[in-house]
């Protein structure tokens, strides 16, 4: 029997058919507008998670909506990489024009971007040193995704343990310990170093420019590539279009995902010409990558974020948020550290962060965690100072 809209809304959501890979919070969200989301009882929540860094332009953005409608009007939601389409080519050109890169590969998520980056790095390395030159060097506290290669380079033994054997050939180094770099890298074995310029899931840890520079030097000295994973910290999040631009250290490969297509699934791998020229047709592929709908929306999102005035505003808001968090920390002994960049901040606590995030949700604020004792703030990049005041006031109450 058909149900009316009202009956559907009133019915409790039965999510028992969903696989238990998540532990979602109780509210059922039905709508978003600006920097707020609304549950099925009509309650508003200020969103400092933004879909884990995805919803950079907030909710209901008019330019994203217009881009979706423009793409739909062509009838080509998807075609195939067997054929040429304009939006993917245009988006790739925009990314190349704005970055160090010469070529771009599109995929559908952050973890897929990591996997593709590893394949491209190994392809390049094989052309230099044969099969032995295949190792990936990753950093302590890293997170690169949940697929087998990405998980192998993710420094979370508990996440890895149930699924071993993972992709072999990964070594971990402590970025603060140059000796560990010397031991891990070897020109005969190493294909690439992978690093998040601002580590996200591992506790929101910006890597100092001199550490990134040391990784660049180590890669060069060992005839290896440097991969920057900017899935979380890229595309305006730090107040720079790409996080690497703040450090002056230039990678050979860079991965993007989260905000790229305004909430539609899309990842990208940016490569220099010397890596790209080792990749042949058939070396890698994905059915959906760079389809006309997602690519059209991404060109709109990218143009918005790449606008210098937009990035400048993110930097201003980032400084304001930092200042407010420093003040909060000064009056709140439970906060042991505040760290981040732009609109990506971690609040390290003296206690588990999950109950604090749950209390913030009760009080009308969405915040994420990063590891056991860190609260993570990733608001939409279009927040205002008054939203920051409101969020910090709620955090102050729940931490008091
Ligand atoms: N790399 C980084 C730095 C991330 O933060 C994430 C996800 O949080 C990923 C990769 C994986 O992205 P996805 O969840 O889209 O596979």
């Amino acid at each position: 029997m058909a149900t009316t809209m009202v009956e559907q809304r009133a019915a409790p959501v039965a999510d028992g058919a969903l696989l238990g890979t998540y532990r979602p919070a109780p509210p059922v969200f039905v709508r978003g507008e600006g920097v707020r989301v609304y549950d099925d009882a009509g309650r508003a929540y200020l969103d400092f998670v933004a879909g884990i860094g995805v919803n950079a332009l907030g909710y209901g953005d008019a330019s994203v909506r217009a881009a979706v409608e423009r793409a739909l009007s062509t009838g080509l939601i998807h075609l195939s990489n067997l054929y040429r389409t304009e939006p993917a080519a245009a988006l790739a050109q925009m990314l190349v024009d704005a970055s160090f890169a010469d070529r771009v590969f599109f995929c559908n998520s952050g973890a897929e971007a990591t996997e593709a980056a590893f394949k491209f790095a190994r392809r390049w390395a094989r052309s230099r040193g044969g099969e032995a030159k295949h190792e990936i060097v990753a950093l302590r506290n890293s997170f690169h995704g949940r697929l087998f290669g990405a998980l192998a380079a993710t420094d979370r033994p508990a996440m890895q343990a149930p699924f071993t054997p993972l992709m072999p050939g990964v070594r971990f180094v402590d970025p603060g310990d140059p000796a560990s770099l010397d031991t891990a890298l070897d020109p005969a074995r190493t294909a690439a170093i992978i690093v998040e310029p601002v580590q996200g899931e591992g506790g929101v840890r910006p890597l100092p420019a001199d550490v990134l520079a040391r990784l660049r030097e180590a890669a060069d000295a060992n005839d290896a590539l440097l991969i920057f994973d900017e899935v979380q910290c890229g595309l305006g999040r730090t107040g720079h279009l790409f996080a690497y631009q703040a450090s002056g250290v230039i990678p050979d490969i860079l991965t993007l995902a989260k905000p790229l297509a305004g909430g539609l699934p899309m990842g990208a791998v940016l490569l220099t010409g010397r890596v790209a020229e080792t990749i042949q047709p058939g070396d890698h592929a994905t059915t959906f990558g760079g389809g006309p709908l997602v690519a059209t929306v991404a060109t709109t999102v990218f143009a918005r974020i790449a606008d210098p005035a937009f990035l400048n505003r993110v930097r201003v808001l980032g400084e304001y948020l930092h200042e407010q968090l420093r003040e909060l920390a000064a009056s709140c002994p439970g906060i042991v550290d505040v760290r981040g960049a732009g609109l990506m901040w971690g609040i390290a606590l003296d206690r588990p962060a999950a109950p604090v995030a749950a209390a913030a949700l009760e009080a009308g604020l969405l915040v994420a965690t990063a590891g056991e004792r860190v609260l993570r703030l990733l608001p939409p990049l279009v927040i205002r100072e008054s939203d920051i005041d409101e969020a910090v006031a709620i955090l102050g109450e729940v931490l008091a």
Side-chain angles (χ1 to χ4, degrees):
M1 199 207 307
T3 52
T4 67
M5 281 292 281
V6 172
E7 280 166 343
Q8 279 176 5
R9 277 233 194 115
V13 173
D15 58 5
L18 288 170
L19 186 64
T21 48
Y22 306 102
R23 200 182 293 114
V28 178
F29 291 101
V30 293
R31 189 168 77 78
E33 192 179 330
V35 298
R36 277 160 224 274
V37 288
Y38 296 81
D39 71 13
D40 57 356
R43 182 171 182 208
Y45 299 77
L46 179 58
D47 184 4
F48 269 51
V49 177
I52 321 187
V54 169
N55 303 319
L57 302 181
Y59 299 90
D61 178 81
S63 66
V64 170
R65 179 191 287 251
V68 171
E69 284 166 1
R70 199 167 61 246
L72 290 180
S73 73
T74 67
L76 285 184
I77 292 175
H78 169 76
L79 188 63
S80 160
N81 290 306
L82 294 171
Y83 308 102
R84 287 169 198 232
T85 51
E86 282 179 352
L91 177 62
Q93 192 62 52
M94 289 169 89
L95 289 162
V96 162
D97 289 346
S99 74
F100 69 94
D102 300 301
R103 295 288 178 134
V104 181
F105 174 83
F106 292 119
C107 54
N108 313 289
S109 71
E112 278 189 29
T114 305
E115 301 283 329
F118 288 171
K119 283 185 72 176
F120 300 152
R122 280 193 170 174
R123 190 75 165 104
W124 171 85
R126 184 160 300 203
S127 74
R128 322 265 307 170
E131 213 171 310
K133 192 169 171 63
H134 68 276
E135 288 188 0
I136 304 289
V137 172
L139 267 60
R140 289 283 162 227
N141 296 313
S142 61
F143 184 95
H144 300 293
R146 304 290 200 127
L147 302 179
F148 277 110
L151 187 58
T154 287
D155 184 25
R156 293 280 188 95
M159 270 182 198
Q160 296 173 326
F163 305 107
T164 52
L166 305 176
M167 180 187 82
V170 178
R171 289 172 193 261
F172 286 94
V173 297
D174 177 347
D177 175 9
S180 77
L181 267 182
D182 290 344
T183 326
L185 286 148
D186 183 317
R189 292 191 320 251
T190 312
I193 305 175
I194 184 166
V195 53
E196 300 151 83
V198 182
Q199 294 183 318
E201 305 287 323
V204 191
R205 298 166 201 274
L207 291 182
D210 64 316
V211 170
L212 295 176
R214 201 181 311 135
L215 294 174
R216 175 74 269 177
E217 279 163 27
D220 291 342
N222 289 279
D223 192 32
L225 300 175
L226 183 62
I227 304 171
F228 278 180
D229 178 342
E230 296 207 10
V231 165
Q232 189 162 151
C233 65
L235 293 172
R237 178 57 56 187
T238 64
H240 300 270
L241 182 54
F242 302 103
Y244 80 84
Q245 290 167 327
S247 67
V249 177
I250 296 175
D252 303 289
I253 297 180
L254 182 143
T255 58
L256 299 170
K258 292 186 182 286
L260 181 56
L264 297 174
M266 185 176 220
V269 184
L270 280 57
L271 310 87
T272 56
R274 73 174 173 136
V275 185
E277 71 192 15
T278 66
I279 309 299
Q280 304 302 322
D283 277 346
H284 196 49
T286 161
T287 296
F288 291 114
L293 171 63
V294 286
T296 299
V297 177
T299 54
T300 297
V301 172
F302 187 75
R304 285 277 304 280
I305 293 176
D307 179 346
F310 184 96
L311 292 168
N312 190 50
R313 176 85 182 125
V314 175
R315 287 197 289 274
V316 169
L317 287 163
E319 278 165 29
Y320 185 75
L321 176 56
H322 186 197
E323 209 175 286
Q324 302 309 305
L325 292 177
R326 261 200 314 248
E327 276 178 27
L328 178 69
S331 65
C332 184
I335 296 179
V336 297
D337 194 16
V338 166
R339 53 186 186 239
L343 288 173
M344 175 173 184
W345 286 90
I347 305 173
L349 304 175
D350 64 355
R351 69 193 95 150
V356 180
L361 179 76
E362 283 277 309
L365 173 70
L366 271 54
V367 290
T369 60
E372 207 207 326
R373 288 173 176 240
V374 180
L375 286 174
R376 181 170 35 148
L377 309 184
L378 296 168
L381 304 183
V382 293
I383 49 163
R384 292 162 310 174
E385 281 84 350
S386 57
D387 302 315
I388 291 175
D389 293 343
E390 188 181 333
V392 173
I394 293 175
L395 287 174
E397 279 164 30
V398 300
L399 283 166

